[in-house]
Amino acid sequence: MKRYFSLLLCSAAFTACAQQKVPTAEVQIKQALLAAPADKRAGATVYGYDANKEVVVLRKGTNELICLADNPFEAGFSAACYHRDLEPFMQRGRALRKEGKQGREIFDLREQEVKAGKLVMPKQPTTLFVYTAKDEDVEGGGGVKNGYLRYVVYVPYATAESTGLPLKPEGPAMPWIMDPGTHGAHIMISPPKQ
């Protein structure tokens, strides 16, 4: 009985900690929109997290942009916004991570699914914006200092030859192509960090 009571207390304490760790919807929305271009913020759909680590809709939008708040259960700060046509790709990645898959395994599974027609990638180039910071730079109330914004343009199956882009950056903010010839081919644009 004593052991059962201890487990019950530990479970309750964990749930309370998890609930305390998740920022309010207002804060999550504010932080998620840091990744969005200014003219897209007011109309963006925003996803965030609940105490059960589930992705939930915090705000329904009116434009083509979807923003995802920082995952409070992971180290570091990372908010992202992307074109709604990338949602099947992004959602599948979240589902695979929830299953415990990581990195290359997720990439390879999505590649197989795209080739099999089970996962559809956008036909036109689509953009992803990623805003990152260190945990210590996240302020109360939704502020983030010393954040870094980088840009990604997905162009499935594009290559260095089809785009004229190099396979690695050769100068500050120079665009380059990553994962060429795959479903996840994308143009990387990483401004210099200040």
Side-chain angles (χ1 to χ4, degrees):
M1 181 70 169
K2 185 176 178 183
R3 184 171 183 214
Y4 172 77
F5 185 68
S6 294
L7 287 172
L8 189 60
L9 282 176
C10 288
S11 175
F14 175 77
T15 300
C17 288
Q19 288 171 340
Q20 289 174 346
K21 190 174 184 180
V22 178
T24 65
E26 179 181 284
V27 167
Q28 289 188 72
I29 290 168
K30 184 176 178 181
Q31 290 177 337
L33 293 175
L34 292 171
D39 67 339
K40 302 286 185 185
R41 290 178 184 160
T45 293
V46 181
Y47 295 158
Y49 292 84
D50 66 15
N52 297 316
K53 301 183 181 181
E54 296 295 327
V55 173
V56 295
V57 176
L58 299 177
R59 185 181 86 183
K60 182 111 172 84
T62 57
N63 66 22
E64 73 283 359
L65 203 65
I66 296 174
C67 295
L68 177 64
D70 174 61
N71 184 340
F73 303 100
E74 294 181 359
F77 177 88
S78 181
C81 295
Y82 51 88
H83 191 278
R84 66 179 165 226
D85 289 353
L86 278 170
E87 178 57 10
F89 171 75
M90 297 297 182
Q91 191 284 327
R92 185 63 178 136
R94 290 191 296 269
L96 290 169
R97 278 188 290 284
K98 192 173 180 180
E99 292 175 12
K101 298 181 176 26
Q102 297 177 2
R104 191 68 203 186
E105 186 178 15
I106 292 172
F107 185 93
D108 291 343
L109 284 168
R110 287 194 289 198
E111 177 79 5
Q112 292 168 11
E113 291 173 3
V114 170
K115 286 181 176 177
K118 294 179 183 176
L119 178 61
V120 178
M121 292 297 289
K123 295 188 181 353
Q124 75 288 343
T126 45
T127 307
L128 164 72
F129 306 92
V130 183
Y131 188 81
T132 57
K134 296 178 182 175
D135 282 327
E136 59 266 24
D137 289 333
V138 178
E139 303 170 332
V144 177
K145 60 182 181 179
N146 302 318
Y148 176 70
L149 184 61
R150 70 180 189 274
Y151 317 95
V152 177
V153 181
Y154 280 89
V155 189
Y157 298 101
T159 63
E161 294 77 20
S162 71
T163 62
L165 291 168
L167 296 175
K168 61 182 180 179
E170 295 176 8
M174 181 178 186
W176 59 287
I177 192 161
M178 187 172 189
D179 298 324
T182 70
H183 77 286
H186 57 279
I187 300 166
M188 293 287 301
I189 304 168
S190 303
K193 292 184 179 181
Q194 299 192 18

